[in-house]
């Protein structure tokens, strides 16, 4: 999390740097885990279905080993391991199905399986016959779902053994991609190893050949994991941006969602990556994302909002184009979305848009975004409230006095006063900064605008003075200075002393 010293650290940086927020990593991990758990459940269903099918040897005789209870089968593990290292394909196939059954068992610990050396044998089997290599990759996929086995799998060359399978039969490619994606989803070191092993070359080749849907799903899922490795962001963009642009027109929901998360992850890294995505092929990606957002395909909403929020921290011309696609009315609609995460992302995106020039703020006003934003300041959900505070207070900093007056007329002052009770030091600084700019706008206009002239009395009547005075004790120097300045401004409000005599001492201390 950002500390309250964020305001000092941001001093002198560009608007784009100031608007880029680092707390997105927490949300990104949460979304990532949700996607992984969904995929694992799907794979378990497939594996369990295959376990129910009787395995027959070359003579058409069902294998008796699979009829054993799991604990009894585990006692036969030395025999199974011996068969895995043999040359007889029928025996290897039976042994692989036994291993698969044990790995899926609730009564046999996978730790014991790994200690018995099963992983090395499975890696060896991936280099054999297509049918056995697919089964071996499936077994490795089961182990890859648990992060504690990732280091062991990487150490025995699991990644390097799976990559050549991407160029073999469709069944081998599908299973190898699944295992690589599963492994990459739980361990960042696995993603780094894959990228160092030139996985992008294999992956781009697979995607460009327009493979069957199951293969493409796994390929894009793997790519979405790889995009979370910062040091390879430039390389991934260079090699995959054209492919991602095309994948946005796929009709499969899983492919679309993972593609959107690829772009969301890549635009998280900074201005260079944002610019490449935003300007690609004449803003083709931006326009397609806007179309998808308007379609209200729920799983794509969060990553698209993340991309747009990052784009909003870029050059004014790019933000102008983004707004021209009518994304602001869509965001107004999404501020009433039932999902907290969606409303949080909308507020975050708007906080970047409202940190821009006055015309962007005016366009937000005309899109009727202010009333739902003010309402978001009053919700119980801390994450949504905090992002709404950023949006509103960015607006007070960059808006004209008349635009700030519009905020006041729509009830922004009382929620800000209530937020002075917060124990979050960063949030307190943001709120105090917003109140300062509101008071400053009132002084600049000579106390003549209907809304702004009511601000001092609103603060006093709603217990603002008492809350400000409470901040003078036990808080940081920055909070003390901000609260003191506002109190002094309110006390001098009617005696002709302008805020310009009070505020300059604070200028530069609190920067967004």
């Amino acid at each position: 999390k950002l500390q309250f010293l964020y305001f000092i650290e941001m001093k002198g940086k560009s608007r784009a740097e100031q608007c880029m927020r680092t707390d997105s990593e927490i949300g990104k991990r949460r979304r990532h885990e949700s996607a992984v758990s969904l995929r694992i459940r799907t794979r378990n269903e497939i594996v369990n279905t295959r376990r129910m099918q009787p395995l027959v040897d070359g003579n058409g005789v069902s294998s008796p080993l699979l009829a054993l209870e799991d604990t009894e089968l585990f006692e036969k593990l030395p025999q199974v391991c011996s068969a895995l290292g043999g040359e007889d394909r029928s025996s290897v196939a039976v042994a692989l199905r036994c291993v698969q059954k044990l790995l899926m068992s609730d009564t046999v610990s996978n730790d014991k399986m790994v200690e018995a050396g099963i992983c090395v044998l499975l890696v060896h089997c991936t280099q054999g016959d297509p049918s056995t290599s697919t089964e071996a990759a499936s077994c490795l996929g089961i182990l890859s779902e648990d992060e504690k086995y990732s280091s062991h799998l990487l150490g025995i060359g699991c990644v390097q053994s799976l990559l050549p399978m991407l160029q073999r039969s469709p069944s081998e490619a599908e299973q190898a991609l699944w295992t690589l994606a599963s492994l990459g989803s739980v361990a960042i070191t696995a993603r780094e190893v894959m990228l160092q092993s030139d996985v992008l070359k294999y992956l781009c080749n697979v995607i460009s050949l327009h493979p069957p849907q199951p293969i493409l799903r796994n390929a894009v899922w793997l790519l979405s994991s790889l995009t979370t490795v910062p040091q390879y962001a430039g390389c991934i963009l260079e090699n995959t941006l054209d492919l991602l642009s095309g994948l946005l027109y796929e009709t499969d929901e899983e492919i679309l969602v993972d593609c959107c998360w690829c772009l969301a992850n890549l635009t998280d890294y900074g201005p260079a990556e944002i610019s490449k995505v935003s300007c690609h092929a004449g803003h083709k990606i931006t326009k397609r994302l806007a179309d998808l957002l308007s379609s209200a395909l729920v799983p794509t909403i969060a990553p698209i909002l993340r991309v747009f929020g990052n784009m909003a921290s870029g050059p004014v011309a790019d933000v102008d184009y983004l707004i021209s696609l009518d994304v602001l009315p869509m965001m107004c609609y999404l501020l009433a979305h039932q999902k907290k995460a969606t409303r949080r992302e909308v507020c975050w995106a708007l906080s970047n848009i409202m940190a821009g020039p006055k015309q962007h703020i005016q366009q937000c006003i005309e899109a009727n975004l202010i009333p739902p934003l003010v309402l978001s300041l009053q919700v119980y959900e801390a994450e949504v409230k905090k992002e709404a505070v950023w949006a509103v207070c960015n607006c007070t900093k960059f808006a004209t006095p008349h635009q700030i007056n519009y905020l006041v007329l729509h009830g922004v002052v009382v929620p800000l006063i209530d937020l002075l009770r917060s124990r979050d030091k960063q949030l307190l600084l943001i709120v105090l900064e917003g109140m300062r700019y509101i008071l400053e706008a009132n002084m600049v206009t000579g106390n003549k605008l209907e809304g702004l002239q009511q601000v001092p009395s609103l603060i006093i009547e709603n217990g603002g003075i008492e809350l400000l005075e409470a901040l003078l004790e036990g808080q940081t120097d920055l909070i003390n200075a901000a609260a003191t300045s506002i109190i002094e401004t309110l006390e001098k409000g009617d005696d002709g002393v302008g805020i310009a005599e009070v505020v300059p001492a604070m200028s530069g201390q609190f920067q967004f």
Side-chain angles (χ1 to χ4, degrees):
K1 288 289 186 180
L2 294 176
Q3 303 298 320
F4 67 91
L5 290 177
Y6 170 85
F7 292 91
I8 296 178
E9 295 167 0
M10 288 292 102
K11 184 177 180 180
K13 293 190 177 182
S14 68
R15 183 175 70 86
E17 291 174 308
Q18 292 170 8
C19 292
M20 290 295 291
R21 309 282 296 285
T22 61
D23 60 347
S24 65
E25 286 302 313
I26 292 176
K28 193 156 58 177
R29 282 196 295 271
R30 182 174 60 253
R31 299 166 191 135
H32 191 58
E33 288 163 0
S34 297
V36 173
S37 62
L38 174 63
R39 298 300 184 83
I40 290 174
R41 283 200 299 272
T42 303
R43 172 56 58 180
N44 286 351
E45 290 170 6
I46 295 171
V47 172
N48 279 322
T49 300
R50 288 163 64 184
R51 284 177 56 192
M52 299 303 294
Q53 300 170 353
L55 184 68
V56 296
D57 59 21
N59 298 316
V61 179
S62 179
S63 171
L65 282 174
L66 289 172
L68 297 174
E69 294 293 333
D70 293 347
T71 52
E72 294 176 320
L73 181 57
F74 180 71
E75 293 175 0
K76 303 286 186 181
L77 189 58
Q79 178 183 334
V80 172
C81 291
S82 178
L84 282 177
E87 299 295 331
D88 183 69
R89 288 194 300 175
S90 178
S91 298
V92 172
V94 170
L96 284 169
R97 188 66 67 86
C98 291
V99 170
Q100 189 179 84
K101 181 180 179 181
L102 289 171
L103 290 174
M104 296 292 293
S105 171
D106 294 327
T107 57
V108 176
S109 169
N110 284 351
D111 291 346
K112 294 180 179 179
M113 298 287 289
V114 172
E115 290 170 5
I118 202 71
C119 296
V120 175
L121 294 170
L122 290 173
V123 168
H124 172 74
C125 289
T126 60
Q127 303 165 28
D129 180 80
S131 60
T132 56
S133 65
T134 302
E135 291 290 341
S138 176
C139 293
L140 289 169
I142 296 170
L143 288 169
S144 71
E145 295 164 4
D146 194 327
E147 186 177 1
K148 67 180 178 180
Y149 302 126
S150 60
S151 296
H152 180 62
L153 292 174
L154 295 174
I156 61 175
C158 178
V159 169
Q160 292 76 6
S161 71
L162 291 171
L163 288 178
M165 291 179 64
L166 303 186
Q167 298 178 315
R168 299 182 198 162
S169 67
S171 62
E172 290 178 281
E174 179 187 353
Q175 184 57 66
L177 281 167
W178 177 276
T179 301
L180 288 169
S182 180
L183 183 60
S185 68
V186 299
I188 190 169
T189 52
R191 295 168 232 162
E192 292 171 348
V193 169
M194 292 178 203
L195 288 164
Q196 291 165 5
S197 301
D198 212 12
V199 68
L200 278 180
K201 179 184 72 175
Y202 293 94
L203 203 52
C204 291
N205 183 57
V206 168
I207 296 173
S208 63
L209 292 175
H210 306 288
Q213 195 174 78
I215 295 178
L216 190 57
R217 283 178 179 175
N218 292 347
V220 183
W221 177 32
L222 172 57
L223 183 58
S224 70
S225 292
L226 297 176
T227 56
T228 62
V229 184
Q231 60 267 37
Y232 287 92
C235 176
I236 293 173
L237 267 175
E238 182 179 345
N239 287 279
T240 66
L241 198 52
D242 286 332
L243 295 174
L244 290 171
S245 178
L247 289 170
L248 285 174
Y249 291 87
E250 288 286 333
T251 57
D252 181 77
E253 183 177 303
E254 286 188 24
I255 294 172
L256 273 177
V257 171
D258 282 330
C259 183
C260 289
W261 275 118
C262 285
L263 295 167
N265 293 336
L266 290 169
T267 55
D268 266 342
Y269 294 124
E273 290 77 12
I274 294 171
S275 179
K276 288 178 182 178
V277 173
S278 177
C279 300
H280 179 72
H283 300 284
K284 180 181 177 182
I285 289 177
T286 309
K287 187 176 187 309
R288 177 55 181 162
L289 289 176
D291 291 341
L292 287 173
L293 188 63
S294 66
S295 71
L297 180 60
V298 174
T300 64
I301 291 175
I304 292 173
L305 288 173
R306 173 62 55 181
V307 175
F308 285 171
N310 286 330
M311 286 181 176
S313 69
V316 172
D318 290 348
V319 184
D320 286 338
Y321 181 77
L322 182 63
I323 294 175
S324 74
L325 298 174
D326 291 329
V327 299
L328 293 181
M330 298 181 217
M331 290 183 179
C332 184
Y333 170 77
L334 291 172
L335 275 174
H337 199 276
Q338 61 181 356
K339 287 191 174 182
K340 176 181 69 175
T342 298
R343 286 180 276 118
R344 176 188 181 278
E345 291 294 339
V346 175
C347 291
W348 176 82
L350 289 173
S351 73
N352 281 346
I353 294 174
M354 289 186 169
K358 297 172 179 61
Q359 65 264 29
H360 293 169
I361 295 173
Q362 186 60 36
Q363 286 167 311
C364 289
I365 291 174
E366 292 170 359
N368 203 33
L369 281 161
I370 300 304
L373 261 181
V374 173
L375 184 62
S376 297
L377 293 175
Q378 304 170 58
V379 298
Y380 291 107
E381 300 148 332
E383 294 179 357
V384 177
K385 184 183 296 186
K386 188 169 185 177
E387 296 300 343
V389 170
W390 273 95
V392 167
C393 293
N394 276 354
C395 183
T396 64
K397 178 172 182 177
F398 297 100
T400 65
H402 283 80
Q403 290 170 337
I404 296 175
N405 187 65
Y406 181 86
L407 262 69
V408 173
L409 289 173
H410 282 79
V412 76
V413 175
V414 174
L416 289 180
I417 294 171
D418 290 339
L419 287 167
L420 293 176
R421 296 182 171 88
S422 173
R423 296 182 180 181
D424 184 329
K425 290 181 170 57
Q426 181 197 20
L427 185 65
L428 282 172
L429 281 171
I430 302 169
V431 171
L432 290 167
E433 178 82 342
M435 293 179 66
R436 179 171 74 88
Y437 282 115
I438 291 172
L439 288 169
E440 183 178 24
N442 184 41
M443 300 300 290
V444 167
T445 57
N447 201 31
K448 294 179 180 179
L449 295 181
E450 179 186 356
L452 287 173
Q453 63 183 272
Q454 299 174 10
V455 172
S457 59
L458 283 172
I459 293 175
I460 295 170
E461 292 168 4
N462 288 276
I465 295 294
E466 291 80 3
L467 291 172
L468 289 166
E469 289 175 344
L471 295 177
L472 301 180
E473 299 179 5
Q475 294 290 350
T476 66
D477 291 342
L478 291 176
I479 292 176
N480 289 343
T484 300
S485 178
I486 292 175
I487 292 171
E488 292 176 352
T489 301
L490 290 168
E491 291 173 347
K492 297 177 182 178
D494 296 326
D495 62 5
V497 180
I499 198 170
E501 295 183 35
V502 181
V503 174
M506 292 173 57
S507 297
Q509 290 185 18
F510 307 99
Q511 297 293 323
F512 284 97

